[in-house]
Amino acid sequence: MHNKEKIRKEVVGFLFMVLGCIAYGSSTSLFLSPNAIVAGGATGLAVLIAQLKEELTSFVGMISIAINLPILLLGLKYQGWKFIVRCLLTVATLGVVTDLLAMLPPLTDDGILASLYGGVCQGVGIGLFVRYQFSSGGTELLGRVLTRWFKFLTIPICVGILDGAIVILGAVVLREPANMLHALIVVFVSTKVSELVLTGLEKSKMCIIITDKGEEISKTLLESSPRGITMLEGEGMYTHNEHNVLLTCVKNNQLSHLKQVVKSIDEKAFIIINDSVEVRGKGFKALNEENK
């Protein structure tokens, strides 16, 4: 049964990887490449190269594969063959899908709209890659390698530098300053959409309540909500008075009720509310629940 479940997860992951490639390839072939938008990454560099030779515009996917091959070889030493094989599989699938989709006519010739739609499609692709533990290589993989050599850098900083250099290079070589604006739109939209794919629509809030009436607030909240509450003892360092510190996580639609309860019991309470990317446990997703 264990082997069957493992095979099932691999097959499901592969199918979603293909869907991610279709989404990402649509971004490149139907929106970004036809509008000469260089948005960073190996694909962005491939778009730039294709723009310099008109006959190559239908082969952005193949150019992207060629750019990724030396990066994959470079990463083999540091990331291991299993990770690199998964990268190669994704890179090859993405390259083929991108060039197949290039046979279709572009869906818009407006740079802003192309950036928005391209960012959405790219975000869906990236979100699916990350969620199902695939990688499309490119600057992300190169960033992993460079941090091995330059210890003072982090992977996000490396990727940001590499992508930024490609975007600037595209704007200079194509003599199109607006490309930087379009690239920013793509990156912003893509980041937001990929985050949505990873975390879903069900956002939660982590609440920290500092009060002198912790028992009463906890009792009232527990009577009207399935959320658990943890109470700690704290000391205000300005007054050196002791206070109760309540920790709890609630869903967005329960936040208003929580604030009303706290206000009705202790108007002097201090509430800190933070966004929670993911919450696991009773009342939320189970700890052992995995991506389906």
Side-chain angles (χ1 to χ4, degrees):
M1 288 297 293
H2 178 73
N3 288 335
K4 286 184 178 180
E5 180 64 16
K6 188 175 181 180
I7 292 171
R8 186 192 70 82
K9 287 180 180 178
E10 285 295 327
V11 171
V12 170
F14 176 78
L15 291 175
F16 276 102
M17 181 273 284
V18 173
L19 286 176
C21 288
I22 293 172
Y24 202 114
S26 298
S27 170
T28 303
S29 296
L30 302 182
F31 299 107
L32 304 186
S33 183
N35 291 280
I37 298 174
V38 179
T43 305
L45 185 57
V47 169
L48 174 58
I49 293 171
Q51 289 298 317
L52 297 177
K53 281 189 172 289
E54 189 175 343
E55 59 270 23
L56 294 178
T57 53
S58 297
F59 301 100
V60 171
M62 292 299 105
I63 297 171
S64 179
I65 292 175
I67 292 171
N68 270 290
L69 285 178
I71 298 174
L72 291 173
L73 290 174
L74 192 62
L76 183 60
K77 177 181 178 181
Y78 302 102
Q79 300 300 320
W81 69 268
K82 287 185 179 180
F83 179 82
I84 296 302
V85 166
R86 290 174 75 87
C87 280
L88 179 59
L89 183 62
T90 309
V91 166
T93 305
L94 179 57
V96 171
V97 168
T98 299
D99 285 348
L100 288 175
L101 289 169
M103 299 177 184
L104 300 175
L107 297 183
T108 180
D109 58 0
D110 184 289
I112 299 296
L113 289 178
S115 301
L116 289 170
Y117 296 144
V120 170
C121 292
Q122 192 178 99
V124 171
I126 292 172
L128 289 174
F129 292 156
V130 175
R131 184 163 184 168
Y132 292 94
Q133 300 176 359
F134 284 86
S135 172
S136 58
T139 52
E140 187 265 339
L141 178 56
L142 187 56
R144 289 172 183 256
V145 174
L146 289 177
T147 54
R148 300 277 186 156
W149 300 341
F150 305 98
K151 303 291 187 182
F152 57 91
L153 293 175
T154 63
I155 293 176
I157 290 176
C158 275
V159 174
I161 292 172
L162 293 168
D163 284 346
I166 292 170
V167 169
I168 293 171
L169 183 64
V172 172
V173 172
L174 299 178
R175 298 180 182 179
E176 189 58 63
N179 179 75
M180 287 189 280
L181 171 62
H182 294 152
L184 284 174
I185 294 172
V186 173
V187 171
F188 178 79
V189 175
S190 174
T191 301
K192 292 298 180 182
V193 172
S194 61
E195 181 183 327
L196 188 61
V197 172
L198 286 169
T199 62
L201 294 170
E202 198 171 291
K203 297 279 187 175
S204 301
K205 302 286 186 181
M206 184 182 74
C207 303
I208 303 173
I209 306 165
I210 302 172
T211 176
D212 292 325
K213 300 180 180 180
E215 290 286 352
E216 191 176 347
I217 290 175
S218 297
K219 182 180 178 182
T220 305
L221 287 174
L222 289 171
E223 287 174 351
S224 57
S225 170
R227 306 300 161 211
I229 301 171
T230 300
M231 184 163 72
L232 308 173
E233 295 299 326
E235 178 183 346
M237 297 311 295
Y238 182 75
T239 62
H240 292 285
N241 293 330
E242 292 186 355
H243 302 286
N244 301 134
V245 180
L246 305 179
L247 303 179
T248 186
C249 280
V250 299
K251 294 183 178 179
N252 279 358
N253 59 0
Q254 298 168 328
L255 184 60
S256 177
H257 172 69
L258 179 141
K259 290 191 287 188
Q260 288 175 1
V261 168
V262 174
K263 181 181 177 182
S264 66
I265 297 173
D266 184 6
E267 289 191 346
K268 296 182 179 179
F270 191 79
I271 305 177
I272 302 170
I273 301 169
N274 293 318
D275 287 322
S276 295
V277 174
E278 185 175 15
V279 181
R280 295 291 180 111
K282 186 177 179 181
F284 297 89
K285 289 183 178 180
L287 281 170
N288 60 352
E289 185 177 348
E290 297 183 15
N291 293 321
K292 301 294 185 183

